[in-house]
Structure formats: structure tokens, C-alpha cells
Amino acid sequence: MDVALRASHVALSEEFDPKYQDIPRDIQLLQRTVRSETVEVEDDGSPHHLFRVFVRLGIRWIREAESAAKTAEASKEDADNVDVLAVIEATFVAEYDMVKELEQPALDEFALHNAPWHIWPYWREYVANQCARLNMPKATMPMQCLAPKEKSPEGDKSR
């Protein structure tokens, strides 16, 4: 029925100015189905159920820290030691009209595998607009969303 932006965060690091500095080619992408819920709403006096799925997405431009880049056998800690130069993150919600009740495993699978596909075009447009506003070159996002990872033990549907 609908896709909407729920939250966003856009920032450049203090020492980075994309208008006057080279843009790093190293980027990291995030896609995570955060949660889903079934809610009852009243429309024209009659109640019906909506299935809502919240998906968090992100892109960040990084520069590896000098120590990690120079060491061939860098530890996991050093590998995570990066300078984040620019970041664009957003959480979108997709809403679906439910015509009948479904079992939770079916809803979970739908939230993990279908909702990110429905949200993806909105995310691509959001990234393109934010890049223009930040004086960053246009980031060409993949045409398709990322493949889902397996569910974690806590029930988090991460990607």
C-alpha cells in the first residue's frame, strides 16, 4: 500500500569536503530488516489489519586507516579501523493491507525477502538526492537489493 521514510541520518566528517577533495572509492552498504508488526487500523469505520516492515539501509564512504592498509596480516580490530568520510542512512517502512491472517513464519519470510525489494527503488532515489545535496558524485546503487543473510538467534533479520 505504501512506502515511507521513518528516519534518516546524513553526515560528512569534519575534515572531508567532497567539493574539493577526492572521493574515496571504498564504500560499505547496509541493509537490515529491523522489525515487522501487524496493526489494526480503522478506515471508513471498518477495522482492518496492516502488516508493516521496517528496513534500515545505509551507504558510507570510507578510507582505511594507515596502519590497517599497510599491514597484510591486519587483525579484525585493525580491519574495522576506518575513517568514515560520508554516510547516508535511512529507515523505511513498507505497509501492506492484509486480507486474511497469516502465520508468523510466513510474515517473517515475507518481511525478510520481499519488503526490501519493494523499498529498494525509494532507497536508490534517496541516495541519489542526498549525494547531490552533499556535493558528492552520484552513487550508483545496484539495481537489486542485497541478498538476505540468515536469521540471527535473536530473531533479527539482518542483511
Side-chain angles (χ1 to χ4, degrees):
M1 290 180 44
D2 194 15
V3 173
L5 180 66
R6 290 290 296 193
S8 67
H9 170 74
V10 179
L12 297 173
S13 70
E14 286 294 322
E15 59 278 346
F16 179 60
D17 190 336
K19 189 172 181 179
Y20 303 108
Q21 294 173 316
D22 290 335
I23 308 299
R25 293 179 189 232
D26 293 333
I27 63 167
Q28 294 177 331
L29 299 175
L30 165 72
Q31 179 180 308
R32 177 174 293 137
T33 300
V34 180
R35 68 184 173 97
S36 63
E37 64 187 15
T38 304
V39 295
E40 185 175 309
V41 295
E42 219 174 279
D43 188 23
D44 295 332
S46 62
H48 67 279
H49 289 91
L50 294 178
F51 182 57
R52 303 176 77 204
V53 182
F54 297 79
V55 178
R56 183 172 172 226
L57 301 137
I59 181 172
R60 66 184 192 169
W61 290 260
I62 60 169
R63 183 175 322 151
E64 287 188 28
E66 301 266 339
S67 61
K70 289 181 182 177
T71 306
E73 296 178 16
S75 68
K76 169 85 170 106
E77 184 177 304
D78 287 339
D80 290 339
N81 189 15
V82 296
D83 292 327
V84 178
L85 302 176
V87 64
I88 302 171
E89 294 179 339
T91 300
F92 286 86
V93 61
E95 293 185 345
Y96 304 91
D97 192 21
M98 295 181 65
V99 294
K100 67 177 185 174
E101 284 191 44
L102 298 172
E103 294 185 22
Q104 194 60 46
L107 292 172
D108 291 344
E109 286 299 310
F110 185 89
L112 185 63
H113 295 283
N114 293 65
W117 283 88
H118 301 150
I119 289 171
W120 194 256
Y122 296 87
W123 167 241
R124 291 183 79 229
E125 181 272 336
Y126 183 77
V127 169
N129 279 330
Q130 293 305 312
C131 284
R133 293 178 199 292
L134 293 169
N135 281 328
M136 299 276 291
K138 184 172 103 179
T140 304
M141 299 295 293
M143 289 296 288
Q144 299 178 352
C145 63
L146 307 173
K149 290 182 181 177
E150 293 300 315
K151 295 178 191 173
S152 68
E154 300 85 39
D156 180 26
K157 299 161 190 70
S158 343
R159 293 180 150 227

